[in-house]
Amino acid sequence: MLNKKIIVIGGGESGCGAALLAKKQGYNVFLSDSNIIKDNYKKLLQKFEINWEEKGHDIKHFNNVNEVVKSPGISDKSIIIRKLKDLKIKIISEIDFGLRFTNSKIIAVTGSNGKTTTTLLIEYILKKAKKNVKAVGNLGRGFCMQIFNKNYDYYILELSSFQLRDSFTINPYISIILNITQDHVDQHGSFKNYISSKCKIFQNQDFKNHFILNSEDKVLANTIRLDQVKPNVYTFSSFKSKKKNHSYFENLKIKILTIKNQFTMNINQLALQGKHNIYNSMAASIAAKIMNIENNIIRESLRDFKNLEHRLEKFIKIYGIDFINDSKATNVNSAWYALESMNKPVIWIAGGIDKGNNYEILQKIAKQKVKALICLGKDNSKIKNAFKKFVKVIHDCKSMEEAVKISFKLASFGDAVLLSPACSSFDLYNNYEERGNDFKKEVKIT
């Protein structure tokens, strides 16, 4: 093992974690990043005597390498990946590498929207049930980094389409697909490729495993032949069905039906409100029932769970106006869910880097609920044109300071100011967290 050479591409949370785990397992490790590696990761690499390079990939380091671990943020179209494929060097994902070194039970969650909330909700339920559990993956906690630091009996693994695209050995005890809508199509090449990546979450499972999915989702319904799926299937939707193991909600109650007996709960008692969060709560509850968690623990968890920062975060009320930070809504579908959950007039702040968005699905709900639209970004022409016939008041802003000041002028007692961009943040910010924090800061000082 000591002579086995491995190279990790990408020096962020995933890549650094993979390098540290590889070193711990006796590999000869080198890390390569095309960008500047952050100081906190450099210190870790130095502490464990791992050599690295930044600002580019020198192909000489890849001589006589057995395999390369690729971080999910590295594009398949990048020059270094194309070179490695030409050299026929084996490329594996950080997720697949981590799976080699843990026998923990995996509950894997994916979907275009709601996967972080559902992942953390399942973790919360299992923690209340005194399970040794950790949520990791796409939510910012590296899978390999966690295995390196401390192994857990259960991992709730949030998986993005990029992580799944590069993974071939993922075989969860429970897999969950919440929904599939058009997202990241520009980076996957086509919507078909994006769907294929998402569906890899269950394709290695067998009859000993469990697969949970939203049967109301049209893309999933048109893609997956449930009679050909190997694991035990559990579906959920907003309507009753005669299908085995089908959960639903009606008459203000969610009803979870599995072989592990039934669970019911009034939807008004859920900590997370809105139709999309009912789906998230149902998916988490089905997983909990498969895990034999007691009903009273599930009910208590769904009642007092607090959502993550930047996801429909009602962080302050000023002059009777709710200010809601939903900066994590980086696609059209996420913004639709946010608007759908609003029960008061909305001053909507949206915009940023458009990922080929089709705003048509937002037009009807915007007409019903949006009092004014504040477009925030370097180029707001597309979003303004999409809503000019549906929202009477539209403003164009180039900074969060300006957007918040205008929102104060437009909002009245009983209204909500909602930051739900439907776009990536990279025109004005480094990430959605920075955008959300700037929104909260400007609200507090205005």
Side-chain angles (χ1 to χ4, degrees), residues 351-352 375-385 396-398:
C375 302
L376 173 64
K378 289 184 177 180
D379 182 2
N380 298 317
S381 55
K382 183 178 177 181
I383 196 167
K384 284 193 296 184
N385 288 333
D396 194 349
C397 297
K398 296 293 188 290

Side-chain angles (χ1 to χ4, degrees), residues 16 36 106 138 190 216 271 310 315 334 344 351 363 383 413 445:
C16 186
I36 296 174
I106 305 293
N138 188 59
S190 70
E216 204 168 343
H310 309 298
F315 71 96
S334 291
K344 54 183 64 178
Q363 290 169 342
I383 196 167
F413 186 94
I445 66 176

Side-chain angles (χ1 to χ4, degrees), residues 81-103:
I81 296 300
R82 294 205 302 266
K83 284 182 179 179
L84 294 177
K85 287 181 177 178
D86 289 340
L87 294 170
K88 294 183 168 43
I89 294 174
K90 184 179 179 182
I91 302 172
I92 65 170
S93 71
E94 178 250 353
I95 298 298
D96 282 0
F97 186 68
L99 288 169
R100 293 179 182 177
F101 307 108
T102 180
N103 293 317

Side-chain angles (χ1 to χ4, degrees), residues 13-26:
E13 176 75 9
S14 295
C16 186
L20 294 173
L21 182 59
K23 182 76 173 185
K24 188 175 183 178
Q25 296 296 328

Side-chain angles (χ1 to χ4, degrees), residues 122-135:
I122 297 171
E123 178 193 44
Y124 189 71
I125 294 170
L126 295 190
K127 278 185 175 180
K128 277 212 169 183
K130 308 300 182 185
K131 302 292 185 183
N132 182 30
V133 60
K134 189 72 172 179

Side-chain angles (χ1 to χ4, degrees), residues 319-379:
Y319 305 131
I321 303 164
D322 286 326
F323 287 84
I324 303 169
N325 169 28
D326 193 41
S327 183
K328 200 174 189 297
T330 58
N331 60 48
V332 166
N333 217 51
S334 291
W336 186 92
Y337 285 133
L339 290 170
E340 183 271 334
S341 70
M342 296 293 108
N343 56 10
K344 54 183 64 178
V346 177
I347 311 300
W348 179 29
I349 302 175
I353 294 289
D354 185 295
K355 298 181 288 184
N357 288 353
N358 181 351
Y359 294 108
E360 284 185 16
I361 68 166
L362 289 171
Q363 290 169 342
K364 183 178 179 181
I365 199 166
K367 185 177 182 179
Q368 294 170 348
K369 301 200 174 191
V370 175
K371 180 177 175 179
L373 170 61
I374 300 173
C375 302
L376 173 64
K378 289 184 177 180
D379 182 2

